[in-house]
Coordinates of all heavy atoms in Angstrom, one line a residue:
H276 N -10.6 -3.4 -0.8 CA -9.6 -4.5 -0.9 C -8.3 -4.0 -0.2 O -7.6 -4.7 0.5 CB -9.3 -4.9 -2.3 CG -10.3 -5.7 -2.9 ND1 -10.6 -7.0 -2.4 CD2 -11.2 -5.5 -3.9 CE1 -11.6 -7.5 -3.2 NE2 -12.0 -6.6 -4.1
R277 N -7.9 -2.7 -0.4 CA -6.8 -2.2 0.3 C -7.0 -2.2 1.8 O -6.1 -2.6 2.6 CB -6.5 -0.7 -0.1 CG -6.1 -0.6 -1.6 CD -5.5 0.8 -1.9 NE -6.4 1.9 -1.6 CZ -6.2 2.8 -0.6 NH1 -5.2 2.7 0.2 NH2 -7.1 3.8 -0.5
L278 N -8.2 -1.9 2.3 CA -8.5 -1.9 3.7 C -8.5 -3.3 4.2 O -8.1 -3.6 5.4 CB -9.9 -1.3 3.9 CG -10.2 -0.7 5.3 CD1 -9.1 0.3 5.7 CD2 -11.6 -0.1 5.3
L279 N -8.9 -4.3 3.4 CA -8.8 -5.7 3.8 C -7.4 -6.2 4.0 O -7.1 -7.0 4.9 CB -9.6 -6.6 2.8 CG -11.1 -6.5 2.9 CD1 -11.7 -7.1 1.7 CD2 -11.6 -7.3 4.2
H280 N -6.5 -5.7 3.2 CA -5.1 -6.1 3.5 C -4.6 -5.5 4.8 O -3.8 -6.1 5.5 CB -4.2 -5.7 2.3 CG -4.2 -6.6 1.1 ND1 -3.4 -7.8 1.1 CD2 -5.0 -6.7 0.0 CE1 -3.7 -8.5 0.0 NE2 -4.6 -7.8 -0.7
F281 N -5.0 -4.3 5.0 CA -4.6 -3.7 6.3 C -5.2 -4.5 7.5 O -4.5 -4.8 8.5 CB -5.1 -2.2 6.4 CG -5.1 -1.6 7.8 CD1 -3.9 -1.4 8.5 CD2 -6.3 -1.3 8.4 CE1 -3.9 -0.9 9.7 CE2 -6.3 -0.8 9.7 CZ -5.1 -0.5 10.3
A282 N -6.5 -4.9 7.3 CA -7.1 -5.7 8.4 C -6.4 -7.0 8.6 O -6.4 -7.5 9.7 CB -8.6 -5.9 8.0
K283 N -5.9 -7.6 7.5 CA -5.2 -8.9 7.7 C -4.0 -8.7 8.6 O -3.7 -9.6 9.4 CB -4.7 -9.4 6.3 CG -4.0 -10.7 6.3 CD -3.6 -11.2 4.9 CE -3.0 -12.5 4.9 NZ -1.7 -12.5 5.6
E284 N -3.3 -7.6 8.5 CA -2.1 -7.4 9.4 C -2.6 -7.3 10.8 O -1.8 -7.5 11.7 CB -1.4 -6.1 9.0 CG -0.7 -6.2 7.6 CD 0.1 -4.9 7.3 OE1 -0.1 -3.9 8.0 OE2 0.9 -5.0 6.4
Q285 N -3.8 -6.9 11.0 CA -4.3 -6.7 12.4 C -5.2 -7.9 12.9 O -5.8 -7.8 13.9 CB -5.2 -5.4 12.4 CG -4.6 -4.2 11.9 CD -3.3 -3.8 12.6 OE1 -3.3 -3.8 13.8 NE2 -2.3 -3.4 11.9
D286 N -5.1 -9.0 12.1 CA -5.9 -10.2 12.4 C -7.4 -9.9 12.5 O -8.1 -10.5 13.3 CB -5.4 -10.8 13.7 CG -4.0 -11.4 13.6 OD1 -3.7 -11.9 12.5 OD2 -3.2 -11.3 14.6
R287 N -7.9 -9.0 11.7 CA -9.3 -8.7 11.7 C -9.9 -8.8 10.3 O -10.9 -8.2 10.0 CB -9.6 -7.2 12.2 CG -8.9 -6.9 13.6 CD -9.4 -7.9 14.6 NE -10.8 -7.7 15.0 CZ -11.4 -8.5 15.9 NH1 -10.8 -9.4 16.5 NH2 -12.7 -8.3 16.1
Q288 N -9.2 -9.5 9.4 CA -9.7 -9.6 8.0 C -11.0 -10.2 7.8 O -11.9 -9.7 7.1 CB -8.6 -10.3 7.2 CG -8.9 -10.2 5.7 CD -7.9 -11.0 4.8 OE1 -7.6 -12.1 5.1 NE2 -7.4 -10.4 3.8
D289 N -11.3 -11.3 8.5 CA -12.6 -12.0 8.3 C -13.7 -11.1 8.9 O -14.8 -11.1 8.3 CB -12.5 -13.3 9.0 CG -13.8 -14.2 8.6 OD1 -13.8 -14.6 7.5 OD2 -14.7 -14.3 9.5
E290 N -13.4 -10.4 10.0 CA -14.5 -9.6 10.6 C -14.8 -8.4 9.6 O -16.0 -8.1 9.5 CB -14.0 -9.0 11.9 CG -13.9 -10.0 13.0 CD -12.6 -10.8 13.0 OE1 -11.8 -10.6 12.1 OE2 -12.4 -11.7 13.9
L291 N -13.8 -7.9 9.0 CA -14.1 -6.8 8.0 C -14.8 -7.2 6.8 O -15.7 -6.6 6.4 CB -12.8 -6.1 7.7 CG -12.9 -4.9 6.7 CD1 -13.9 -3.8 7.3 CD2 -11.6 -4.3 6.4
I292 N -14.3 -8.3 6.2 CA -15.0 -8.7 5.0 C -16.4 -9.1 5.2 O -17.3 -8.9 4.4 CB -14.2 -9.9 4.3 CG1 -14.7 -10.0 2.8 CG2 -14.4 -11.2 5.0 CD1 -13.8 -10.9 2.0
Q293 N -16.7 -9.7 6.4 CA -18.1 -10.1 6.7 C -18.9 -8.8 6.9 O -20.1 -8.7 6.4 CB -18.2 -11.0 7.9 CG -19.5 -11.6 8.2 CD -20.0 -12.5 7.0 OE1 -19.2 -13.1 6.4 NE2 -21.3 -12.5 6.8
G294 N -18.3 -7.8 7.5 CA -19.1 -6.5 7.7 C -19.3 -5.8 6.4 O -20.4 -5.2 6.2
L295 N -18.4 -5.9 5.5 CA -18.5 -5.3 4.2 C -19.6 -6.0 3.4 O -20.4 -5.4 2.7 CB -17.2 -5.3 3.4 CG -16.1 -4.3 3.9 CD1 -14.8 -4.7 3.3 CD2 -16.5 -2.9 3.6
Y296 N -19.6 -7.3 3.4 CA -20.6 -8.1 2.7 C -22.0 -7.7 3.2 O -23.0 -7.5 2.5 CB -20.4 -9.6 2.9 CG -19.4 -10.2 2.0 CD1 -18.6 -11.2 2.5 CD2 -19.3 -9.9 0.6 CE1 -17.7 -11.9 1.6 CE2 -18.4 -10.5 -0.2 CZ -17.6 -11.5 0.3 OH -16.7 -12.1 -0.5
K297 N -22.2 -7.7 4.5 CA -23.5 -7.4 5.1 C -23.9 -6.0 4.8 O -25.1 -5.8 4.4 CB -23.4 -7.6 6.7 CG -24.7 -7.4 7.4 CD -24.6 -7.5 8.9 CE -25.9 -7.2 9.6 NZ -25.8 -7.3 11.0
A298 N -23.0 -5.1 4.8 CA -23.4 -3.7 4.5 C -23.8 -3.6 3.1 O -24.8 -2.9 2.7 CB -22.2 -2.8 4.8
N299 N -23.1 -4.3 2.2 CA -23.4 -4.1 0.7 C -24.7 -4.9 0.3 O -25.5 -4.4 -0.5 CB -22.2 -4.7 -0.1 CG -22.5 -4.5 -1.6 OD1 -23.0 -3.4 -2.0 ND2 -22.1 -5.5 -2.4
F300 N -24.9 -6.1 0.9 CA -26.0 -6.9 0.4 C -27.2 -6.8 1.3 O -28.3 -7.2 0.8 CB -25.6 -8.3 0.3 CG -24.6 -8.5 -0.8 CD1 -23.2 -8.8 -0.5 CD2 -24.9 -8.4 -2.1 CE1 -22.3 -9.0 -1.6 CE2 -24.0 -8.6 -3.2 CZ -22.7 -8.9 -2.9
A301 N -27.1 -6.4 2.6 CA -28.3 -6.5 3.5 C -28.7 -5.2 4.0 O -29.9 -5.1 4.5 CB -27.9 -7.4 4.6
E302 N -27.9 -4.1 4.0 CA -28.2 -2.9 4.7 C -28.6 -1.8 3.6 O -28.2 -1.9 2.5 CB -27.1 -2.4 5.5 CG -26.7 -3.4 6.7 CD -25.6 -3.0 7.5 OE1 -25.0 -1.9 7.2 OE2 -25.2 -3.7 8.4
E303 N -29.4 -0.8 4.1 CA -29.8 0.2 3.2 C -28.7 1.2 2.8 O -28.7 1.7 1.7 CB -31.0 0.9 3.8 CG -32.3 0.1 3.9 CD -33.5 0.9 4.3 OE1 -33.4 2.2 4.3 OE2 -34.5 0.3 4.7
R304 N -27.9 1.5 3.7 CA -26.8 2.5 3.5 C -25.8 1.9 2.5 O -25.4 0.7 2.6 CB -26.1 2.9 4.8 CG -27.0 3.7 5.7 CD -26.3 4.0 7.0 NE -25.1 4.8 6.7 CZ -24.1 5.0 7.6 NH1 -24.2 4.4 8.8 NH2 -23.1 5.7 7.3

């Protein structure tokens, strides 16, 4: 969540949250 707030400042919040979701729910790592 802290990283997502940083990403918001860089206009990359949606890209990061989608990547985190995919990593958590779909990937083995």
